[in-house]
Amino acid sequence: MGLTVAIVALALIDRGMDLFQISLLFGIYSLTTLAMELPFGGLADSVGRKPVFLAAVIASIISLVLFLSTSDFYVLALSFAFIGFGRALRSGTLDAWFVETFKTMAPNVDIQPALAKAQWANAIGLALGAAAGGLLPDHFGSTAERLGFSAYDVSYATSLAVMLGVFTYTLFFIVEKPRPLNPDALKQGFATVPLVIKDAGLFALKHPTLSMLLAALAFFLMATNPVEVIWPTHAKPMLEDGYANTVIGFLTASYFFAIAFGASLSPYINRIFKRRNAITLAAALACLAVAQIALAMQGGIYGFAAVFILYSVALGVSETPASSILHSCVKDRQRSTILSLKSLIQQLGASLGLILAGTIAEAYSTPTAWIVGAAFLVVSVILISILVKRLT
């Protein structure tokens, strides 16, 4: 996945899309994930982890083929819908298979170190993919252009080849006992979506702490998601053409490492605030608001890179306290429902933020859109500050 994440916005610009259209495409991805994640949530439990993961890989392959075949906005929209579809299918597949297989093979062994290695492998994969995804257009883009393709098609074609490799590897090396197919599983998944949303919504409304946290997270995504999506289009003009994509790739890799570093710092920062998660979260969000404004004001690549890495660290710091507050509000029987509601609200916030930021960026400028977005982070800080008083 990392091979395309670094250059997707640049590839869309190269295909003639403006910032508003790019925001719409990412909004389609978010809304498709949102619409499909709830009904597909239990599918892997019903028909097996491996077949559902393979279906997700096929969806990703279709998305890549569509992207490589067109510069038409509507076909690209279908490509992004398939990305969202693949992500919704992928959720809870091979990670669940890994845990179950590990516990079967080593029932009395602590799984946490193995999970940590898996998470590290995930981060390394994304980071190396991002770096390679930026290097490939700079090194082989001119050859691709001579053949009538886009320079960025090199990264997408490589991603397609790797995805085919993932499909083949999974088919032969991931072993899972076949489960009886349940044709009613998918139908039941769609049928229960309204009930899940209703139950989760009613529970959140009756729980002021949870309602305030979810509202703050929605505003948080409205502010930060547009930065994560369109920053390469803002940073590239600061760089020389010969190595611009390479730098973007390495900055994207740094982004993933910085988030991981921020997450590892979070427990230590929480101790400074006497393990009061709400105060830690409010401080992280306040730092993000300042960093987002500072990022918008950078005109050179060195200043931009430094602030962007600090911004990413703050993103990583914010994840753990927010999750801790949420899990402290719910019991086990409600946990999956509330996590589904959290995902739904965050995807809605991300979609709205992208459309608003794309409109402002196209009418004015990207820095203006980010500064306006920082106001949503201020709203999040206010909501979490009220939450601090409630929890106290």
Side-chain angles (χ1 to χ4, degrees), residues 204-217:
L205 286 172
K206 292 175 184 176
H207 200 306
T209 299
L210 190 58
S211 300
M212 215 166 289
L213 174 67
L214 291 174
L217 291 176

Side-chain angles (χ1 to χ4, degrees), residues 51 55 96 105 108 114 140 154 161 185 191 206 212 247 258 266 284 301-302 314 330 360 370 377:
M105 296 175 71
N108 298 315
F140 301 104
V154 181
K206 292 175 184 176
M212 215 166 289
V247 174
S266 190
I301 191 61
Y302 294 110
V330 297
I360 295 171
W370 290 350
L377 281 169

Side-chain angles (χ1 to χ4, degrees), residues 8-9 12-29 71-74 76-77 80 229-230 354-363:
V8 58
L12 289 169
I13 291 280
D14 195 56
R15 275 167 160 72
M17 302 296 115
D18 58 32
L19 291 175
F20 177 67
Q21 288 173 311
I22 291 172
S23 298
L24 277 180
L25 290 170
F26 276 94
I28 288 166
Y29 157 72
S71 295
D72 181 77
F73 174 80
Y74 296 102
L76 288 170
F80 273 74
V229 168
I230 62 177
L354 278 167
I355 293 168
L356 178 63
T359 305
I360 295 171
E362 197 58 37

